[in-house]
Amino acid sequence: MGGPAGASVSKRSERAALVVLVTLATAVVLVPALASRDPLRIDDVVARRLIAPFARDLHGEFHLLGTDRFGRDLLVRMMLAGRLSLLVGFLGSVVAGLLGTVLGAFAGWRGGFVDRAVTSAADVLLALPRLVLLLVGVALWQPGFSTILVVLALTGWMGIARLVRADVIAVRHRPFVPAATALGASSTRVLFRHVIPNAIGPALVATTLGVGNAILLESGLSFLGLGIQPPAPSWGNMIAGGRDLLVVAPWVSLAPGIALVVTVLATTILGDAWRDRLAGER
Amino acid sequence: MRYHRVRSPALLRAFGRAMLLFWCVLSLTFALLRLAPGDPTTFLIPAGAGASDAVRMRAELGLDQSTGVQYARWLGALLHGDLGGSFVNGRPVRSAIGDALPVSVALGGASLLLSFLIGIAAGLIQAARRGSRLDATLTVASVLLAASPAYWLGLGAIACFTYLASSWSLPLMMRLPAIGMTTPGADLHGVAHLSDLVRHSILPVTLLAAIGAGGVARYVRTSALDAGGTDWMRTARAKGAGEGRVYRHHLLANLRAPILTLFALSLPGTVAGSVFVETIFAWPGMGRLMVTSIVARDYPVVMGCAAMFAALVIVANLAAEALLPWADPRVRA
């Protein structure tokens, strides 16, 4: 939407966002793997529970971000939750992006019945707010990782399909398309080799911007108890777990919330930066 | 004169399309819920009930019929304005929604209005003072708000304005209630009731309005900056119009259509925000009704809520389409 005059992203914040995401991805893989204790195990609750950040429990173990009400280390749990959140956000929007690209491209390329079918399917799905669709979707199956992934993908493709469809229709009449056809390329080959590569830019940007949205939606569903189920940690259900500890132990809800904001912010900045670059190229 | 003759059939056609769309959405929701594995009665039946009770319950709820018959019955009832009864407590879905809808409309409407007032003002100021420290601060604030989960901000607000405020023993006026729309048990009337309601609304409405205003401000800023370089802005300035007049008469007139479109598109977002905000602040609105009935597998109520949300989106889009010629006379041609 934002043209060149929009909030353009500086090189420095783009680099910072990239560094944050790479660091987070590394930490998410390494920290739980290196943890001294099983992050889901609960033992000696009295000695370990609700330790404040930067403090040691009665066993002398140091907890950088403190512990929750069952004495589990919050840093390790946050990183474990980060695995799920990043994976769900990334996979959910990439699958939605692929689905949207393929459907939108076929709709714009073939026209006629295919076009009408895809456009009306998108219209129907867009007539419900995405959160309502997600809620109805998770009501279908047992809540959990794969359910969220499927539902995110099935409710996230419509905007991208519209973008790609419009771009394919615009590209279809450029001279290189009849040229490729005249050289004997099949219709499918022209679509995938010549048309889609020229129409994919906005879809890539929208997919990147969708990652943050998907992460937020997953955390929201988990917060409501309809997403990732405890004891498996997710940033959303960790915030929910600290909901009645706001006075006693605010860090339990604070830390996963900050992780969420930082992650979503970083993906949004990257998406915006790529959009700026795309707008500059055109 | 001519466009009237052309426009009315176009509007009629748009209305017909909207009705068709509404029917498709409802059928989709119906199909999705009936596709769900598992039987709602297994969630509803009390522990210790026998198999014959389950059979009777299924018959009472009409679940023993084929899906086609269920769909026909449901559609027929819907055409008479009957949304069925709740699986859980037998209450008519219409009265459950009738109780919840005004709450959500008031919460969403107040915050949407506030968010557009604040957002448009902030966006215009940012565009006028582009590159200033104020512009940068407001941009950072709006980006941060967009990246934060509404429920997390809500918990933070409750922690600050309810718990911290009372532990610092601030005067009672500055401590805000965290839960519900009114003080439970208090039998208040007239002005006292109203002020109680307002005190309970401050946190949820401000939260939703702030989140919305961030998005509106970013959009208005971009649109205003895009317009800033156009020929008609330069012409207006060259005529000798002051900056105030240029903004009020020329820029705002040209932003009317994009803002109208944004308003229509924002309605579903308000719904999404209200699901979390209603849950956090325990407001008995549509979002909370939807979540609780999904957890309880109360399909008729879920269907009713989905129908209301779909109607909201479709009507908003239709209204935006109908109002567009007013907002942007160029599309009348």
Side-chain angles (χ1 to χ4, degrees), chain B residues 8-9 33 78 91 144 150 156 158 161 169 180 201 231 254 266 305 307:
Chain B
S8 315
L33 287 178
L78 185 75
R91 194 171 167 216
L144 269 180
I158 291 177
F161 294 102
S169 29
S201 323
D231 293 340
N254 275 278
S266 304
C305 292

Side-chain angles (χ1 to χ4, degrees), chain A residues 1 5 132 135 139-140 219 253 265, chain B residues 32 37 143 151-152 219 226 297:
Chain A
M1 241 183 275
V132 172
L135 287 174
L140 289 185
S219 82
S253 287
L265 208 55
Chain B
L32 282 176
V143 170
Y151 57 88
W152 185 66
Y219 186 80
D226 279 341
R297 305 236 165 190

Side-chain angles (χ1 to χ4, degrees), chain B residues 172-198:
Chain B
L172 206 60
M173 267 321 284
M174 292 175 72
R175 300 187 214 163
L176 294 171
I179 280 170
M181 292 176 67
T182 47
T183 310
D187 190 23
L188 298 170
H189 293 286
V191 180
H193 175 71
L194 195 68
S195 83
D196 189 47
L197 197 63
V198 168

